[in-house]
Amino acid sequence: MTNTLDDRLDAIFDAVLDYQDAVTADLVKTELAHGTDLRVILNDALIAAMDEVGELFSQGTLFVPEMLMAARAMKAGLEVLRPRLTETDAQPAGKVVIGTVHRDLHDIGKNLVGMMLEGAGFTVVNLGVDVPPEAFLEAVDTHRPDLLGMSALLTTTMPNMGRTVELLRKEGWNGRIMIGGAPVTREFADAIGADGFAADAPAAVGLARKMIGAD
Amino acid sequence: MASNESSPRLRRRRRDRLAAKDDAAQQTSRADDAAFEVSIPEPYAGPTAAANRPDFAYLDAARLEALVERCFALIEHRGVDVNHAAAVKRLAKAGCKVDADGVRVRLPRALAEEALAAAPRATMLCSKSGRFDLDIPRRDNTFHMRTGTGAHGFIEPGSRYRKLVLADVKTIATVSDGLPEVGFIAHPFIYDAPERTADIHGLAALLSASEKHNWIQPYDTENVGFLMRLAAVAAGGESALRDRPIVSCIACSFSPLEFKEMDVEAIIQSGRYSIPIHACSLPTAGGTAPVTMPGTVLMAGAEILAMAVLTHVLAAGTPLIATPLIFALDMRTGRSLQSSVEALTGAAMAVQLCKRGFGLMTHSYGAGADTPDVCGQSQAERALLGLMVGLSGADILGGIGQLECATVFSPIQAIIDNELGAMQRAWLHTPRIDDDSLAWELMIEVERGGHFLANPHTLKHCREVFAPSAFLKLAREPYEKAGRRTELDNAMAIYEALMLRKAPHGLPDADAVAEMAEIVAAADRAILD
């Protein structure tokens, strides 16, 4: 085989876009065996692929399940890199704590945001569902994230976003907060003092990048 | 079609992606942007194999049989009036009883049964290029659609109602050629041509501008021959027209139970060129037919059965497509309605009678409304009509773009109808019930709080969902941000894109167009002078 580095990175990129998680993981292992800098694998193949996925979704070319399956494939590649990432000076794009607010058990959209953020190189701490304001506060104390993301599907649980923001600010946490979910609007975000609103997962990635100044 | 790969054609190569990294940072919301990227609708693929079409039936077997029996009895005992001396002679020779007036013809049941048995069960409506040939019945067991005929008003996009003129024929052709659900195109009535030859002027313009199959509607007996000659020239000669009929022709009854000379001549001439005949009955409940809808349906059925006999005797072997178009008189105003509750009921029954009772290929209105403008009422009426007629078994749904009881054509409405037609075809599949469609293994394995979004089964089937072109599914914020954009704004964008399409394939060449112009001029001289 006389494949160049570019050819091999192309193959990883294509495997993510073809939703091939096992193939992606194998190709990443092979690339590491070639001695390629893992930041190159991460940025120029895996993250590049998820950027393409996000853009295709925004254009209406890819559907939600396809975006999700691509994110899974990317994550499979990322899991191969993860042990090495901690051993090197490779820095994630940022750290994000996410969760679905108190009394709300819906997590598909929030998990999709989490996977897309991981795909964009963020470290994601996913608190799950039904997360009380106090648990968000504890999480930001523990994990020291750059961003906090909250999700709600129900109009009846949306007010818990406001309560969480209020508690975090009262306790002195000044990190950036973004929110999303079916009933959530930009006006609501402004009203409760959140720093941003995203309508879907690719928009959340764009917003997160903007918030940490990577954009 | 399900796919396990995003289309390589649509995605960028990695190296191009990296070169455009600045763009990559700009992840935006689909709801914000993509919802407004409107393009010309793609064809709705329909089922990959012939679908098991769900049947809606007002008429159970006993009621259907009763109606069929009365149709045979009505044309045998009461008879029909045929205003075409030569045709009456041939009918008499075939065994029909003719009254002393030489017009009233009683059609024996045995002959009517023979006509139904001999009627072709399938045909092909050919396009000029061959790219849009229509198999009737449609291979996927749904239906084809066609534009409205008889329109004499036009609602120009972005403007208001006006009389329809010759130049509009090209617009209708361009829009219809580009809309995948439009199978064939009818010529409208035009005001800027002599009234008595407007059909000839209109058809010549349509044949010169549209790639798809065209529908001939003669306005007088002596016009029929000129219309057929135009079609023959556009097809490349009479023999070519017989081989590939790029036109089909309507022949109408004159309710109650009468046939004008022109329509009988249309049957004879269609037979001469092997052109499929749309055997059309247009009774109006309470006017030219009984106010009770079963009586109106009987009228339509009897007239179409009579046309099957006429075709069998006068144009044997010519494909006949039963075309009941049911109207109801508005008892408050005397206006004729095509989408009233009663007319819809009648349309559904008449389609069932012709399709299941007679076993004929069947065509009826599946679009159209009684309102004069493109509005909510229009969409509601045509959606209900199309669904009822489609579920009743029609092979062709007519009336794309038509408003005000088939008298007005609107390109914007045609674009919405294209969308409605695709949706209605999508409904005409009885779903499979098997382990795959039930997702049985997943159902057994699903965990508490689980979901189906990230699953190979969902990936496999997620592209089978219907994708609208004009209809929007917006949340409030992007809707407001877009200035409250609606499906009509999208239809306007689609219209503008359609009008920019390249010239269609397979149009008559310059010599043929010149020859058609000579035929039109000859018709004007012969008919008007």
Side-chain angles (χ1 to χ4, degrees), chain B residues 237-418:
Chain B
E238 290 188 10
S239 174
L241 181 59
R242 282 190 196 91
D243 290 343
R244 287 183 49 79
I246 60 165
V247 294
S248 47
C249 185
I250 190 171
C252 296
S253 56
F254 183 54
S255 301
L257 299 164
E258 186 175 355
F259 297 95
K260 300 190 301 289
E261 182 187 42
M262 175 189 78
D263 296 289
V264 179
E265 187 62 25
I267 291 173
I268 294 169
Q269 295 276 353
S270 295
R272 187 179 155 209
Y273 292 98
S274 299
I275 288 170
I277 298 164
H278 301 268
C280 182
S281 169
L282 308 93
T284 301
T288 59
V291 70
T292 45
M293 197 46 75
T296 294
V297 173
L298 168 62
M299 178 77 73
E303 290 177 348
I304 287 168
L305 184 57
M307 279 189 273
V309 175
L310 265 61
T311 302
H312 181 55
V313 172
L314 306 173
T318 306
L320 176 136
I321 301 167
T323 308
L325 302 178
I326 305 297
F327 298 85
L329 209 64
D330 185 339
M331 291 295 160
R332 296 169 301 178
T333 64
R335 282 180 54 79
S336 189
L337 305 175
Q338 71 143 101
S339 295
S340 68
V341 169
E342 294 75 23
L344 262 62
T345 308
M349 285 197 290
V351 166
Q352 289 161 33
L353 171 63
C354 295
K355 184 71 182 176
R356 299 173 201 161
F358 296 155
L360 297 171
M361 295 176 276
T362 301
H363 167 185
S364 188
Y365 285 146
D370 295 320
T371 174
D373 221 334
V374 181
C375 60
Q377 180 185 330
S378 169
Q379 314 317 339
E381 287 183 350
R382 60 209 319 125
L384 291 168
L385 174 61
L387 196 53
M388 285 187 70
V389 169
L391 284 168
S392 298
D395 299 300
I396 299 169
L397 268 59
I400 279 192
Q402 75 184 24
L403 295 163
E404 203 175 344
C405 194
T407 59
V408 174
F409 185 88
S410 158
I412 295 297
Q413 185 61 67
I415 291 162
I416 299 295
D417 284 340
N418 181 80

Side-chain angles (χ1 to χ4, degrees), chain A residues 97-109:
Chain A
V97 165
I98 60 171
T100 304
V101 295
H102 193 34
R103 298 192 186 285
D104 198 321
L105 301 176
H106 299 90
D107 66 351
I108 293 176

Side-chain angles (χ1 to χ4, degrees), chain A residues 4-7 9-10 13-14 17-20 43-45 48 50-52 54-66 68-69 72 107-108 112 185-187 197 199-200 202-203 205-206 209 215, chain B residues 3-8 10-15 17-18 20-35 37 449-456 458-459 462-465 467 475-477 481:
Chain A
T4 66
L5 173 62
D6 266 338
D7 291 336
L9 294 175
D10 285 349
F13 178 93
D14 288 340
L17 281 157
D18 291 341
Y19 325 127
Q20 303 290 324
N43 294 323
D44 292 357
M50 287 311 292
D51 282 343
E52 183 68 5
E55 197 162 310
L56 289 170
F57 177 78
S58 295
Q59 291 165 359
T61 304
L62 282 192
F63 291 2
V64 174
E66 293 164 337
L68 204 45
M69 297 301 272
R72 279 191 168 183
D107 66 351
I108 293 176
L112 195 54
T185 64
R186 201 175 309 275
E187 288 72 26
F197 155 80
D200 54 34
V205 172
R209 282 175 166 158
D215 187 0
Chain B
S3 168
N4 287 325
E5 297 183 4
S6 57
S7 170
L10 294 171
R11 73 195 197 200
R12 278 191 278 191
R13 293 172 63 243
R14 184 187 66 87
R15 295 167 218 194
R17 165 87 250 166
L18 291 174
K21 200 163 178 59
D22 288 346
D23 297 341
Q26 303 292 331
Q27 301 282 16
T28 56
S29 161
R30 168 181 286 198
D32 283 342
D33 300 324
E37 291 171 7
H451 63 79
F452 298 87
L453 198 52
N455 190 282
T458 307
L459 185 68
C462 71
R463 288 191 172 271
E464 294 166 10
V465 299
R476 173 65 57 181
E477 184 169 305
K481 186 178 167 186

